[in-house]
């Protein structure tokens, strides 16, 4: 086996793609791979500008410049491709070990297979797939990443909300049992909403101005959690609302437990998991009087606000967990990519 760093390409350079690349450079020493190429239809001037400056995460930490078809980042050339289809790129000729599919366009097995047929050895998707059969594995870091065998070609990194919710539900189901779960996602505005009312989406609520209303939207969170925690199948409901903020979201989680409990017990379980064990670095815990903007650029999958834990009667629990829906998820993409490549090359 070669000792060279693994080679990664990004397909799609929107919010998640740019956050993945930026997080890689902020954490460069942590990974045994390099980002060698990105594919996006935007012009080079826009790619350079939006890499250098980000309204949410600030300036890029280092050099950014364009030379020919290379985006130079801290002296390293990332080759820029501008193809509208996976077949337009010879992934094999690029020598990539993994494509990070960050466009959000491909969410079926047929769509993923297009990358494989064009020479990509494996693909990690930045979105949940349409169905469980559309992917070889759906991974939430810290929960089931160790089940990857290395033989998988199509892997999903689930969603930002799933990465936030699944660790909490797994911990509490193991500790006190969960009979029923109801989750409300309170999520920052996204680019499938217009700034002002416009013909923008077939979901009529998403035709309304993102920055003038709290807007209910559909969510597949319950289905996504059930894929990861099948023992809770049929016992989870979820809804979501978009709120007029640019970044950072939270889950408001209501649980009916199987055994009597109290707020102190729930908080102890979550605090201890954040301080040690497999979720350290992925889960955080606080009791400070925070607002959402305090968690901008926070790399954790979930930050439990223990000051807001409530228990009604002996078994009705309510929690609130914050997450940076861009930065936390982008960091999980990198963590899963590192683990995926390691097991794939030792399989």
């Amino acid at each position: 086996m070669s000792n060279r760093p693994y080679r990664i390409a990004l397909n799609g350079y929107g919010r998640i793609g740019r956050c993945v690349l930026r997080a890689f450079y902020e954490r460069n020493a942590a990974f045994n791979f390099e980002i060698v190429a990105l594919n996006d239809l935007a012009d080079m001037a826009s790619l350079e500008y939006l890499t250098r400056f980000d309204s949410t995460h600030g300036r890029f930490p280092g050099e950014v410049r364009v030379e020919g078809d290379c985006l130079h980042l801290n002296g390293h050339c990332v080759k820029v491709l501008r193809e509208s289809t996976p077949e337009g790129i010879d992934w094999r000729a690029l020598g990539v070990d993994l494509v990070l599919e960050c466009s959000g366009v491909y969410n079926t097995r047929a769509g993923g297979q297009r990358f494989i047929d064009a020479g990509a050895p494996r693909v990690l998707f930045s979105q949940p797939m349409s169905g469980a059969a559309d992917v070889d594995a759906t991974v939430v870091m810290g929960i089931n990443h160790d089940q990857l065998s290395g033989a998988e070609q199509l892997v999903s990194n689930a969603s930002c909300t799933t990465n936030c919710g699944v660790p909490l539900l797994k911990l509490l189901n193991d500790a006190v049992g969960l009979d029923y779960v109801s989750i409300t996602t309170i999520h920052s505005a996204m680019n499938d909403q217009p700034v002002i009312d416009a013909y923008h989406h077939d979901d009529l609520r998403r035709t309304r101005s993102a920055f003038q209303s709290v807007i209910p939207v559909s969510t597949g969170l319950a289905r996504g959690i059930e894929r990861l925690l099948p023992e809770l199948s049929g016992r989870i409901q979820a809804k979501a609302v978009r709120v007029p903020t640019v970044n950072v979201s939270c889950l408001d989680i209501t649980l009916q437990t199987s055994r009597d409990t109290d707020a102190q017990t729930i908080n102890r379980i979550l605090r201890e998991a954040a301080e040690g064990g497999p979720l350290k670095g992925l889960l955080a815990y606080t009791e400070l009087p925070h607002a959402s903007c305090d968690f901008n650029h926070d790399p954790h999958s979930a930050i439990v606000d223990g000051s807001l834990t409530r228990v009604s009667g002996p078994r009705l629990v309510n929690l609130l967990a914050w997450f940076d829906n861009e930065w936390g998820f982008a960091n999980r993409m990198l963590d899963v990519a590192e683990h995926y490549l390691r097991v794939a090359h030792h399989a």
Side-chain angles (χ1 to χ4, degrees):
M1 184 185 68
S2 171
N3 291 323
R4 69 167 174 81
Y6 304 125
R7 294 167 62 85
I8 282 182
L10 301 177
N11 188 68
Y13 197 55
R15 292 307 305 158
I16 295 302
R18 292 198 297 275
C19 283
V20 166
L21 183 135
R22 184 179 283 243
F24 169 76
Y25 277 93
E26 288 195 14
R27 297 177 58 195
N28 194 14
F31 302 109
N32 184 36
F33 58 74
E34 56 186 350
I35 297 175
V36 299
L38 68 87
N39 180 47
D40 196 271
L41 297 179
D43 62 88
M44 292 295 282
S46 297
L47 290 175
E48 178 188 19
Y49 181 76
L50 290 176
T51 301
R52 186 188 300 274
F53 304 109
D54 190 280
S55 300
T56 302
H57 300 287
R59 293 174 181 253
F60 184 84
E63 174 201 38
V64 181
R65 64 182 176 86
V66 167
E67 184 177 316
D69 64 354
C70 279
L71 184 64
H72 286 269
L73 304 169
N74 295 343
H76 176 70
C77 170
V78 178
K79 183 178 178 64
V80 176
L81 307 162
R82 301 185 69 246
E83 298 292 338
S84 60
T85 66
E87 297 84 1
I89 298 171
D90 187 343
W91 303 101
R92 186 176 293 106
L94 287 172
V96 297
D97 298 286
L98 175 65
V99 174
L100 301 189
E101 206 303 288
C102 298
S103 74
V105 172
Y106 305 95
N107 62 358
T108 65
R109 181 169 289 275
Q113 188 63 39
R114 292 170 65 181
F115 290 89
I116 303 301
D117 293 343
R122 53 192 68 85
V123 184
L124 176 62
F125 297 87
S126 70
Q127 68 273 353
M129 306 300 269
S130 290
D134 288 303
V135 70
D136 298 324
T138 298
V139 174
V140 167
M141 195 69 189
I143 298 299
N144 69 335
H145 67 280
D146 55 355
Q147 295 177 16
L148 288 175
S149 69
E152 300 87 355
Q153 288 187 300
L154 305 178
V155 174
S156 167
N157 198 56
S159 67
C160 56
T161 49
T162 305
N163 274 269
C164 178
V166 163
L168 305 178
L169 298 181
K170 177 71 165 61
L171 281 169
L172 295 176
N173 192 44
D174 289 348
V176 295
L178 299 179
D179 288 341
Y180 298 102
V181 179
S182 178
I183 302 175
T184 299
T185 300
I186 304 168
H187 201 290
S188 293
M190 295 180 68
N191 64 5
D192 62 353
Q193 299 171 260
V195 176
I196 58 175
D197 290 3
Y199 302 106
H200 201 71
H201 203 281
D202 56 6
D203 176 353
L204 293 180
R205 287 191 173 107
R206 292 189 218 194
T207 65
R208 306 301 299 278
S209 168
F211 290 106
Q212 290 178 253
S213 292
V214 173
I215 300 175
V217 298
S218 60
T219 176
L221 177 59
R223 185 172 66 250
I225 291 173
E226 289 176 348
R227 289 182 194 172
L228 277 299
L229 301 176
E231 61 270 29
L232 296 180
S233 291
R235 291 185 278 152
I236 303 174
Q237 291 291 334
K239 61 180 182 292
V241 295
R242 302 273 181 85
V243 297
T245 58
V246 173
N247 192 37
V248 182
S249 303
C250 64
L251 296 186
D252 185 320
I253 306 174
T254 299
L255 313 165
Q256 181 176 304
T257 63
S258 304
R259 297 186 286 280
D260 291 359
T261 190
D262 53 49
Q264 292 74 27
T265 299
I266 297 296
N267 281 346
R268 176 183 54 78
I269 293 165
L270 299 173
R271 184 179 62 251
E272 289 178 354
E275 293 172 349
L279 292 178
K280 184 176 182 180
L282 305 175
L283 174 65
Y285 179 90
T286 183
E287 293 185 3
L288 295 174
H290 283 294
S292 64
C293 60
D294 297 336
F295 302 103
N296 192 68
H297 213 70
D298 191 303
H300 293 93
S301 298
I303 307 99
V304 174
D305 190 333
S307 71
L308 297 174
T309 300
R310 301 288 185 268
V311 177
S312 179
R315 298 190 181 187
L316 188 63
V317 177
N318 182 258
L319 306 172
L320 189 132
W322 303 100
F323 60 104
D324 183 321
N325 44 277
E326 294 183 344
W327 196 251
F329 186 77
N331 275 272
R332 295 299 81 75
M333 284 287 289
L334 293 170
D335 292 337
V336 171
E338 173 80 1
H339 180 75
Y340 184 16
L341 287 168
R342 187 168 60 248
V343 297
H345 284 82
H346 287 81

